[in-house]
């Protein structure tokens, strides 16, 4: 295990933004008009989200909680399928719900990051072909033109779309490349209503060769990195959609459509050029079993945060997600301590990092399962009771000090967690 008892003291730049993040479908509950709800009902994704954290009803208490935990910022998403449950029929009550939530967050003094699309959209939009079709752009535009002017005054940072950059199937590639254009259109539309910075959150996977000195593994690591990471930054920087096995295309509307880089980072993935799916095994000695199922987050790799965002020196970087799913909350404390230390190192190496938003404020619905628990706050999924975990107090002290030191570490953790067998 990592020795966080010898981490040196760190201080973040003045005005550094600490907070937490959630997403509508994962916390609200009863998101019945969404495409994900339809997939759940069709038995295609594991557990049903049901009432999730019942946040749609308990949002007032949840705002109080965020305040008590000392967070300075909160990232959330609004659900298009609640706002426009049937094509062209807007639900003013759902919009008012979000306005009330945003109003309360503002009154609590929070900086608000708002995502317009976090994996879910209306089932009617899905049935029309969703983002697989560029001809569906007018639906997305209409949603933005309805929602954004109503909430613009509350939002400090926009995310048009969450994490569309991953995946390599033919269908997925078409989707990702379309999404660059949906993102760009969203960017330009938001600008008509808001002066706040706009981006789309990027899922930053650290790709690492399974065999460091094998040429094929290295080539495929570079390939994976371009396929999932660099094509996105490149398109936004230059306007060029350059993707393996495709003719490159220059799309001027895409150029410059990020005012900051919004980065979601969790861990690294190994690349094995001798496997068709390229998914290499992890180093066993680093593998952590923190929850009783197989899950992608089985390794803490904070150094990946440094070396990845180091290529984003051209704009301010906001870490819009970073977090740990574990049953023993001490793993979360270790994870936060290591990742904040890494982030601090990235700042020292010249990256203009402005924010860190922990994923997630509370345990929630992890896209087909309730087993991975990322929350600073424990949620009982039957009673919806919220119980603050020790890591939330640890994080609160970090926020209050704008940094991390041994006094804080030792106040909240006595010994290191051991691994489940
Ligand atoms: C997503 C979240 C998800 C988290 C943890 C991110 O990729 O934006 O929706 O819950 O990772 O897996």
């Amino acid at each position: 295990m990592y020795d966080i008892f010898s981490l040196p003291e760190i201080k973040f730049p003045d005005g550094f933004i600490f907070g937490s993040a959630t997403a509508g479908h994962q916390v609200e509950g009863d998101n019945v008009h969404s495409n994900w709800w339809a997939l759940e009902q069709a038995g295609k994704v594991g557990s049903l989200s049901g009432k999730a954290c019942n946040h749609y009803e308990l949002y007032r208490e949840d705002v109080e909680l965020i305040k008590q935990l000392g967070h300075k910022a909160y990232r959330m998403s609004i659900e298009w399928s609640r706002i426009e449950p049937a094509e062209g029929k807007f639900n003013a009550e759902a919009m008012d719900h979000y306005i009330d939530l945003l109003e309360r967050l503002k009154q609590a003094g929070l900086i608000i990051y708002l995502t317009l699309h976090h994996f879910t959209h209306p089932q009617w939009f899905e049935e029309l072909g969703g983002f697989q079709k560029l001809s569906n752009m007018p639906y997305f535009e209409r949603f933005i033109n309805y929602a954004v002017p109503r909430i613009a005054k509350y939002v400090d940072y926009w995310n048009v779309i969450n994490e569309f950059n991953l995946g390599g199937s033919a269908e997925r590639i078409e989707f990702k490349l379309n999404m660059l254009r949906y993102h760009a259109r969203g960017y330009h539309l938001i600008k008509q209503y808001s002066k706040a910075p706009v981006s789309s959150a990027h899922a930053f996977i650290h790709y690492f060769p399974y065999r460091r000195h094998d040429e094929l593994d290295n080539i495929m690591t570079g390939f994976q990195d371009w396929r999932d990471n660099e094509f996105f930054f490149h398109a936004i920087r230059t306007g060029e959609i350059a993707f393996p096995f495709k003719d490159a295309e220059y799309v001027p509307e895409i150029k410059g459509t990020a005012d900051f880089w919004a980065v979601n980072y969790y861990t690294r993935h190994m690349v094995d050029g001798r496997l068709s799916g390229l998914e290499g095994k992890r180093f066993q000695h680093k593998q952590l079993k923190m929850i009783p199922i197989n899950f992608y987050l089985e390794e803490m790799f904070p150094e990946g945060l440094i070396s990845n965002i180091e290529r984003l020196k051209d704009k301010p970087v906001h870490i819009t997600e970073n977090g740990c799913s574990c049953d023993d909350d001490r793993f979360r404390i270790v994870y936060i301590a290591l990742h904040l230390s890494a982030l601090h190192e990235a700042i020292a190496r010249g990256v203009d990092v402005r924010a860190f938003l922990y994923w997630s404020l509370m345990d929630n619905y992890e896209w087909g399962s309730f087993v991975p628990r990322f929350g600073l706050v424990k949620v009982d999924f039957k009673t919806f009771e919220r119980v603050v975990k020790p890591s939330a107090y640890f994080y609160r002290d970090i926020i209050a000090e704008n940094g991390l030191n041994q006094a804080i570490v030792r106040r909240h953790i006595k010994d290191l967690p051991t691994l489940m067998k």
Side-chain angles (χ1 to χ4, degrees):
M1 214 29 229
Y2 309 85
D3 178 14
I4 61 165
F5 299 109
S6 42
L7 287 174
E9 175 166 7
I10 51 173
K11 276 270 179 207
F12 284 86
D14 287 346
F16 193 81
I17 302 170
F18 282 107
S20 63
T22 62
H25 190 79
Q26 296 180 263
V27 292
E28 289 178 352
D30 290 332
N31 192 18
V32 298
H33 299 292
S34 72
N35 63 323
W36 198 276
W37 186 272
L39 285 175
E40 292 170 16
Q41 300 303 314
K44 294 197 177 145
V45 290
S47 300
L48 309 179
S49 56
K51 289 225 157 276
C53 307
N54 202 19
H55 170 70
Y56 202 75
E57 285 174 26
L58 299 178
Y59 70 99
R60 296 174 195 86
E61 290 86 330
D62 289 336
V63 173
E64 285 307 308
L65 198 56
I66 299 169
K67 210 161 92 179
Q68 279 164 28
L69 296 179
H71 296 188
K72 293 181 176 169
Y74 180 59
R75 173 174 179 234
M76 56 168 275
S77 70
I78 55 172
E79 283 294 331
W80 178 5
S81 64
R82 285 189 191 276
I83 296 170
E84 193 184 357
E87 202 252 286
K89 305 254 177 312
F90 289 89
N91 179 348
E93 246 172 67
M95 202 64 239
D96 287 346
H97 166 93
Y98 288 120
I99 291 171
D100 189 40
L101 167 57
L102 290 164
E103 184 92 49
R104 285 164 192 271
L105 289 166
K106 267 282 148 257
Q107 275 165 16
L110 287 147
I111 295 166
I112 296 172
Y113 288 73
L114 193 121
T115 307
L116 292 177
H117 183 273
H118 194 119
F119 298 163
T120 51
H121 46 255
Q123 176 60 12
W124 61 259
F125 179 72
E126 181 68 18
E127 282 165 16
L128 290 172
F131 295 104
Q132 290 300 137
K133 285 195 185 159
L134 274 179
S135 56
N136 283 337
M137 188 71 85
Y139 301 110
F140 191 54
E141 290 172 349
R142 188 173 56 185
F143 162 59
I144 292 178
N145 284 325
Y146 178 84
V148 169
R150 289 173 165 78
I151 55 177
K153 68 173 181 180
Y154 304 107
V155 178
D156 300 289
Y157 295 95
W158 298 92
N159 270 283
V160 185
I161 301 162
N162 183 62
E163 297 190 353
F164 61 79
N165 56 294
L166 303 180
S169 68
E171 198 186 0
R172 189 69 194 171
I173 291 168
E174 207 184 317
F175 167 85
K176 306 196 312 188
L177 302 186
N178 284 352
M179 279 310 224
L180 281 171
R181 296 173 198 254
Y182 276 97
H183 154 80
R185 191 63 56 85
Y187 176 94
H188 294 298
L189 283 178
I190 291 171
K191 291 284 171 192
Q192 297 183 5
Y193 307 107
S194 168
K195 290 197 171 59
V198 185
S199 195
S200 272
H202 177 92
F204 221 141
I205 305 286
H206 184 96
Y207 285 111
F208 196 90
Y210 182 62
R211 304 164 194 86
R212 181 65 188 88
H213 295 287
D214 183 83
E215 198 173 348
L216 180 59
D217 284 359
N218 278 290
I219 291 170
M220 296 320 284
T221 298
F223 171 82
Q224 289 288 76
D225 185 67
W226 189 280
R227 192 200 74 177
D228 283 357
N229 295 323
E230 195 58 28
F231 85 95
F232 173 93
F233 303 121
H234 180 80
I236 288 177
R237 282 178 179 138
T238 64
E240 185 192 42
I241 302 183
F243 204 84
F245 312 114
K246 297 232 173 237
D247 292 336
E249 204 182 336
Y250 178 61
V251 186
E253 295 81 34
I254 298 177
K255 188 173 177 184
T257 54
D259 303 321
F260 64 103
W261 296 119
V263 169
N264 298 348
Y265 175 81
Y266 287 87
T267 190
R268 84 171 148 184
H269 288 221
M270 311 295 281
V271 179
D272 185 342
R274 285 168 181 75
L275 295 176
S276 62
L278 301 174
E279 277 283 320
K281 283 204 209 85
R282 290 181 186 277
F283 294 121
Q284 270 175 27
H285 73 280
K286 284 210 74 188
Q287 206 162 343
L288 300 174
K289 192 96 183 136
M290 299 183 282
I291 52 172
I293 57 167
N294 291 332
F295 197 52
Y296 74 93
L297 216 174
E298 288 179 326
E299 182 187 21
M300 295 190 193
F301 196 67
E303 50 272 53
L305 187 56
I306 308 174
S307 51
N308 281 304
I309 63 173
E310 226 176 3
R311 72 171 102 161
L312 302 179
K313 284 186 177 168
D314 56 330
K315 294 180 201 294
V317 172
H318 294 233
I319 305 300
T320 42
E321 281 182 37
N322 174 253
C324 178
S325 74
C326 50
D327 289 342
D328 183 334
D329 188 50
R330 289 174 300 174
F331 281 119
R332 186 167 296 101
I333 292 181
V334 172
Y335 188 94
I336 292 173
L338 292 175
H339 285 78
L340 287 182
S341 300
L343 202 58
H344 186 263
E345 221 169 307
I347 295 171
R349 283 161 76 152
V351 189
D352 181 10
V353 187
R354 305 275 179 92
F356 176 87
L357 307 180
Y358 178 80
W359 181 273
S360 179
L361 170 67
M362 54 186 147
D363 293 340
N364 59 42
Y365 177 68
E366 175 64 17
W367 308 111
S369 176
F370 282 102
V371 177
R373 285 172 175 264
F374 281 90
L376 293 166
V377 175
K378 178 175 184 263
V379 175
D380 180 321
F381 292 111
K382 290 202 179 77
T383 62
F384 307 115
E385 189 198 355
R386 275 85 164 122
V387 178
V388 175
K389 299 181 192 178
S391 55
Y393 294 121
F394 170 69
Y395 189 45
R396 187 173 69 177
D397 285 1
I398 292 172
I399 300 172
E401 296 265 338
N402 199 33
L404 175 70
N405 56 48
Q406 278 308 314
I408 299 177
V409 171
R410 283 157 205 267
R411 203 176 304 140
H412 297 280
I413 185 168
K414 298 279 167 275
D415 46 16
L416 294 172
T418 48
L419 308 180
M420 254 183 248
K421 282 282 166 249

